Amino acid sequence: MRILIMGPPGAGKGTQAARIASFCEIPHISTGDIFRTEIKESSELGKKIKSYLDTGKLVPDEVTVMVIKKRLQQPDCSRGFLLDGFPRTIPQAEALDGILIGLSKNRLDLVINISVDAQVLLERLTGRRVCRNCGDTYHILYQPPQKDEICDRCGGDLYQRSDDTAETVSNRLDVYQRQTAPLLEYYQKRDIVQEVNGELSIDQVFKEIEKVIRSID
Ligand code: ADP
Ligand code: AMP
């Protein structure tokens, strides 16, 4: 199955994507995660894109499209994939259509759109903590680790993303409204968008998503 998970920053895409990927046995492809790894490794690409992530601006389409094209060619994508954070602009969505045709893959089967009120998003993003080692996501109130600042899964240190500050969050929400939200219409025209209420608990949101996936399987 080829799935895209959409929603504003902090909607819970990464949290749900980990569960969906395991449920559907498909790789979770997050452009944000790929970019953060490149920055951590100080690669040429990492150096080029760091300032965009630090300020919450979008990385230029040509760079992002090149990264995703390379990733979708990997053999683990043969049974499908789950995209998280890509596409984020109409030109990226058009490029994705072209990449899938070029790789002889079918179009997306499903777009899951998680909606959450803006005030809730701010609280979620400023309280988010991520494992430096395995990337697992926590929240200081809603999904706290068992031991303060330590990842339950691998024992790694938890850190706060540099773009999860109140100032950058407001820029990211603005970028989402202007550049990414219009994509919903692009996919609604294909009749593949399913809405999920992201304000429920993490488990309840996943139950809703599971129902949607079973209904199209
Ligand atoms: P996104 O990938 O959409 O930016 P995340 O999955 O990283 O969002 O979630 C943002 C923050 O909100 C994380 O700290 C996560 O633990 C928390 N979170 C995710 N889903 C929920 C939920 N349904 N209820 C409460 N907190 C949540
Ligand atoms: P995320 O982890 O999805 O919240 O993304 C973090 C940051 O990575 C964004 O604020 C952008 O700077 C960059 N980014 C991730 N995905 C994309 C994309 N598809 N297009 C452009 N920039 C992206």
Side-chain angles (χ1 to χ4, degrees), residues 7-16 84 124-125 127-129 137-140 142-143 161 172 198-202 205:
K13 300 182 296 297
T15 303
Q16 297 300 330
D84 162 13
R124 282 198 188 171
L125 289 167
R128 171 160 65 186
R129 298 293 181 269
T137 300
Y138 296 84
H139 190 281
I140 52 172
Y142 306 125
Q143 203 187 2
R161 276 172 48 174
R172 286 161 64 206
E199 293 192 20
L200 304 171
S201 72
I202 293 174
V205 174

Side-chain angles (χ1 to χ4, degrees), residues 61-81:
D61 286 343
E62 62 273 19
V63 176
T64 309
V65 167
M66 179 201 67
V67 162
I68 212 79
K69 186 173 178 186
K70 199 167 149 203
R71 182 64 186 89
L72 288 175
Q73 285 169 1
Q74 301 299 311
D76 63 338
C77 295
S78 61
R79 291 188 53 246
F81 48 81

Side-chain angles (χ1 to χ4, degrees), residues 6 17 24 35 41 50 65 82 95 102 134 140 188 202 215:
M6 278 190 69
C24 297
F35 290 151
E41 290 171 354
K50 186 175 184 309
V65 167
L82 169 63
C134 72
I140 52 172
Q188 270 156 355
I202 293 174
S215 75

